[in-house]
Amino acid sequence: AIGKSGDTITLNYTGATTGTNEYISVIIADNEGAKYYGRITQPTSESGTVDVKIPANLAEGSYTLSVFSEQYNGGENDDTKLTDYASAFKTVALTVDNTGPTLTAGAVSRTSHTEATVKFTSSEAGTCYYAVVESGAAAPTIDTSGAGTACAAAEQTISLTSLTAGAKDIYIVVKDAAGNVSSALKIEIPAYVAPVYSISADTTTLNFGSVQTGYTTPAAQTITVTNTGNQQITLTQPTASHYTIGALSKADLAAGETATFTVQPKSGLAAGTYNERITVKGASGGNSTNEISIWANFTVQSHKPFNFTDVPQIPGNWKYESIKYVYDRGIMGGVGGSSQFQPDHPLTRAMFATVLYRMAGEPETGYSSRFSDVKAGQWYSSAILWASSKGIVQGYSDGSYGINHNITREQIAKMLYLYGESRGYDVSGAS
């Protein structure tokens, strides 16, 4: 038997003695002895039911409820009838529970506009009831007279399948076996936010410049990819026909995480322009992300024999090896289309800007009127305008660049420093 103070418990009995002075009696006791005694009813048949009311001031705890047949002869009213009789006791364990369960909120998951799961834990087993209202609405009155849902003294999950769009509040109560109802537990259910699957890259164009057939390809360049969505995604390893793609540093990216991979032109490519699209894809839950396209540009030129008449071809000679190095990589060529390199000829400001421009891979540069002596369509135009846009070169106070002015050693040092800075090199001067 279980109930709270003041409740009525119904007991089934058999074998009761009936008669004028026969009663069914009860004693409620704890481990210190009897607390209450009373004659409950006079049975009219051997079997039936009897209602026992738990005293209103009986403290919460565990008791024994002893039930027995008693012959009461009224000795207090008639001294000739002083003897009463009782049957053997039948003992029932009685729990008096006056306290409702304690509820603790757990995790909430909103999986769509209509569906969500809510977890909570009850300190006692019982029956669960709940009501869902709009976020911020007044707490509802929850009817606990119905069947409800069985609830164990452990973490429970409520699955909601008919929500409407927007944030909600759920109020939960649990009624224990004694009929005590917990305080209402409020749990907020957030609005459903559709997952976003998207990625971005730190660049969408790779320029590897030009080389001549048969020579070493440029160094690999690194691409960083970021998951800019709000769900974890899985990247697919990108591939390319004319480029070697390094393995992804990480395939599974949580929101905001990054991964890197390298791109390098393949060696041994025939002469031609290799402008290839490299696609980076990701997926989450079977849904494709926005694809990112990275264009890789690389040019292989037919090999031109090194046949400058003013440069002795002596292997190991510093002049020959250095000039051949920059010539083979398209950084410097002959003068005026002639067969001469003119190694002792002064270098002009236009020439040196062109050298830096070729080292950078000759990035596409639109014409703008920045210097009075730099006209559109000249061999040096794009180089000077590019170098100026990067802050590598400056003109004179009269608005000219000085295309035919010989460059000084200090100007070369300054331009090289600014070039390295624009390319992200360490120009701190630290050893």
Side-chain angles (χ1 to χ4, degrees):
I2 185 169
K4 57 182 181 293
S5 300
D7 278 356
T8 297
I9 297 173
T10 299
L11 302 177
N12 297 292
Y13 68 87
T14 59
T17 303
T18 60
T20 302
N21 297 328
E22 301 295 337
Y23 294 85
I24 292 177
S25 298
V26 169
I27 295 175
I28 299 176
D30 61 13
N31 56 7
E32 294 180 349
K35 296 295 183 182
Y36 292 91
Y37 155 75
R39 297 183 296 276
I40 304 302
T41 188
Q42 286 190 284
T44 58
S45 62
E46 181 180 334
S47 300
T49 60
V50 61
D51 290 336
V52 179
K53 184 175 182 180
I54 300 174
N57 60 346
L58 188 61
E60 186 172 271
S62 298
Y63 299 87
T64 55
L65 182 65
S66 299
V67 187
F68 55 97
S69 285
E70 179 183 9
Q71 185 186 93
Y72 170 65
N73 294 311
E76 71 274 18
N77 298 318
D78 185 349
D79 289 343
T80 65
K81 299 178 180 179
L82 299 179
T83 302
D84 295 334
Y85 300 92
S87 71
F89 291 175
K90 297 296 288 188
T91 300
V92 177
L94 170 64
T95 299
V96 178
D97 182 0
N98 297 324
T99 305
T102 299
L103 307 187
T104 305
V108 179
S109 175
R110 185 78 177 261
T111 54
S112 70
H113 288 301
T114 58
E115 298 179 329
T117 57
V118 177
K119 295 183 182 295
F120 74 96
T121 300
S122 174
S123 62
E124 294 183 64
T127 305
C128 170
Y129 304 85
Y130 64 86
V132 178
V133 297
E134 295 297 322
S135 176
T141 299
I142 300 178
D143 181 9
T144 60
S145 62
T149 303
C151 170
E155 186 174 71
Q156 304 293 297
T157 299
I158 296 175
S159 296
L160 305 170
T161 59
S162 57
L163 298 174
T164 56
K168 310 295 177 185
D169 293 331
I170 184 172
Y171 288 84
I172 306 168
V173 296
V174 173
K175 182 171 68 176
D176 64 17
N180 301 297
V181 179
S182 70
S183 297
L185 172 66
K186 174 186 174 182
I187 299 179
E188 296 177 356
I189 303 173
Y192 174 67
V193 179
V196 177
Y197 310 109
S198 60
I199 53 178
S200 68
D202 59 348
T203 184
T204 55
T205 304
L206 297 175
N207 290 306
F208 290 94
S210 301
V211 297
Q212 294 184 358
T213 54
Y215 291 90
T216 304
T217 55
Q221 297 188 40
T222 300
I223 301 296
T224 300
V225 177
T226 304
N227 176 4
T228 54
N230 59 20
Q231 300 288 312
Q232 177 170 309
I233 63 173
T234 300
L235 298 179
T236 301
Q237 175 69 33
T239 59
S241 299
H242 301 99
Y243 294 84
T244 300
I245 310 296
L248 288 163
S249 63
K250 188 175 184 179
D252 296 323
L253 302 184
E257 285 191 329
T258 62
T260 59
F261 64 93
T262 57
V263 179
Q264 185 179 31
K266 292 183 177 179
S267 60
L269 295 175
T273 298
Y274 299 91
N275 184 21
E276 188 167 347
R277 177 189 179 196
I278 298 169
T279 301
V280 183
K281 296 181 180 180
S284 180
N287 298 311
S288 295
T289 69
N290 296 332
E291 296 181 353
I292 296 295
S293 293
I294 300 168
W295 290 93
N297 303 312
F298 182 53
T299 301
V300 180
Q301 300 174 339
S302 297
H303 177 58
K304 298 178 182 179
F306 187 89
N307 57 3
F308 294 122
T309 58
D310 55 352
V311 180
Q313 298 188 31
I314 304 173
N317 178 270
W318 71 270
K319 181 186 297 186
Y320 167 68
E321 297 292 349
S322 301
I323 295 173
K324 187 173 186 302
Y325 177 89
V326 296
Y327 173 74
D328 287 343
R329 284 155 181 79
I331 298 173
M332 298 182 73
V335 177
S338 69
S339 61
Q340 289 190 332
F341 184 79
Q342 295 186 1
D344 299 319
H345 193 279
L347 196 66
T348 67
R349 286 167 55 84
M351 289 178 179
F352 193 66
T354 302
V355 168
L356 297 180
Y357 181 59
R358 290 172 178 172
M359 288 171 59
E362 298 182 296
E364 184 175 348
T365 304
Y367 178 77
S368 61
S369 181
R370 295 192 181 187
F371 304 107
S372 59
D373 56 345
V374 179
K375 307 302 180 183
Q378 304 301 308
W379 60 268
Y380 49 74
S381 301
S382 293
I384 294 174
L385 294 175
W386 167 82
S388 175
S389 70
K390 296 297 183 181
I392 299 171
V393 303
Q394 296 178 354
Y396 294 122
S397 60
D398 64 357
S400 67
Y401 176 73
I403 55 175
N404 294 319
H405 291 191
N406 292 338
I407 193 167
T408 65
R409 288 164 58 85
E410 67 178 359
Q411 288 174 345
I412 290 176
K414 181 66 173 180
M415 290 183 186
L416 283 173
Y417 175 84
L418 295 174
Y419 171 82
E421 192 174 52
S422 73
R423 302 291 287 178
Y425 301 155
D426 181 4
V427 295
S428 64
S431 58

